[in-house]
Amino acid sequence: MRRPDQQTTTRPTPDAAPGPTPDTPPAEATRPGPGALPSGAGAQQPTDRIGPGAQHLADATGPGAQHLPGGTGAARRPDPAGSRADGHRPTGSHPAGARSAGDLTTEAALAPYLRGQAAEFLRSLRLHHEHSAPADSGGQDAAAATRALRRSARRISGCLHTFRAALDPLWADQLRAELAWLSGILAREHAYADRLTRLVEALHQLSGPALPAARSVRAAGDGATSDAQGRAALGVGAARAGALLERRLTLARTRSHSAALQALGSSRFHAVADAVALLASDVPLAPGPAGRTAEALLEPAEHAEQRLLTAVAALPPADTEPYNEAQDAAWHQTRLLLRLHRYAHEVVLGATDPALTGAGHALDLHRDAVEAAGAAAAAARTPRIAPATAYALGVLHADQRHEVEAARAVFRETWPYTVALSAS
């Protein structure tokens, strides 16, 4: 297993000597999984913080030291300037406006970040109410407000998970669970709409001009004739398959819309909104001074990065068999861990990491293709459908699984750090 020679989150150069580094990591959340995302996929907490193929961040006490928690001591990094296989450091690994060690406290970094996201949540909620009024026909504005609402909810929830030890743990667990519920409710309606659009467009591209293709191969060989017959059958079944998918996904979208409206009018949602409103002015921190030092943010951020690198290193290799749906869960988990790492990067360094933009987008496409393939397979299991319809849905499922494999390949190409993507 090749070890990564670059970290995606680095300790900033201190303006003053930081406090001593604790030998043990802060307490982790006992709830399974990241808990900050609507998909509900749990994150298995590793028993070893080092993990295979992973390396911790450089210690702020020296340019070439590496912090290894748990009393393992420090080791020299062989190539502190290198991060990629070609020796170039990814853009954004060290933002120009990186925080100093004196600014890495819960009061100076985490609390303002959470207050800002809470203010964005309330602003998006107000816009959502305005554009969801019956007299307002701006559906796109309402959808944009919903996306902004979910985006701020995810960031708050993700930070409550990663930096739980620096916050009031009971309050953080409760609010994180409620924000995950809200984000999941709001995500379903737009997920069904996007899935339907994706599948209908794929069906249209797959079917194409079926009848002209069948007429043009009368003098061709048996292989061309068979292909033309297949395209003709696909053309016949594509229209029915599209209608079936539209009925199923439109019904699911309508139910999700009703559930979202019911949730937004419930006492549970108003309690969440009240809690976020309080967060915009007051962040409940952990009692005592231990949770307010720079290490209270650096250690959890390092742990989030460690889990991500371990998950990437454990992804199945590129030469595995296609259509292996059992591997989807590992990729979904990597996507959740990448999101948690991005949020921690924003808190610690005060900026996003653009080097991970392409990899994150590839994992989003992977998730969409997996869910679209599942929708096609579920529709194909509908009782008493015509053989042509089932054939078209089978071809559609295969096409979306090819999109899954393509998204995995894009992730491997855009992953900016020299982490082994498979066992060597």
Side-chain angles (χ1 to χ4, degrees), residues 1-2 53 310-320 412 419-424:
M1 182 75 70
R2 291 184 297 113
T310 303
V312 171
L315 288 175
D319 56 355
T320 54
R412 292 186 178 97
V419 177
L421 295 180
S422 61
S424 57

Side-chain angles (χ1 to χ4, degrees), residues 228-247:
Q229 291 174 350
R231 289 184 62 82
L234 180 59
V236 172
R240 295 179 180 179
L244 176 60
L245 289 170
E246 185 170 2
R247 288 196 302 270

Side-chain angles (χ1 to χ4, degrees), residues 171-268:
W171 166 83
D173 290 343
Q174 292 177 347
L175 182 56
R176 179 164 63 94
E178 293 304 293
L179 288 173
W181 162 77
L182 176 61
S183 184
I185 287 289
L186 296 178
R188 293 191 187 104
E189 176 186 357
H190 300 286
Y192 284 124
D194 295 341
R195 198 171 305 154
L196 176 59
T197 301
R198 179 190 184 96
L199 290 173
V200 170
E201 290 179 352
L203 270 177
H204 178 72
Q205 295 175 358
L206 290 171
S207 59
L211 290 180
R215 293 177 184 144
S216 62
V217 295
R218 290 180 179 177
D222 293 340
T225 301
S226 175
D227 180 70
Q229 291 174 350
R231 289 184 62 82
L234 180 59
V236 172
R240 295 179 180 179
L244 176 60
L245 289 170
E246 185 170 2
R247 288 196 302 270
R248 291 173 60 92
L249 294 177
T250 300
L251 177 60
R253 179 187 180 184
T254 301
R255 290 174 176 173
S256 299
H257 180 72
S258 300
L261 291 179
Q262 183 177 2
L264 291 175
S266 66
S267 58
R268 183 178 182 181

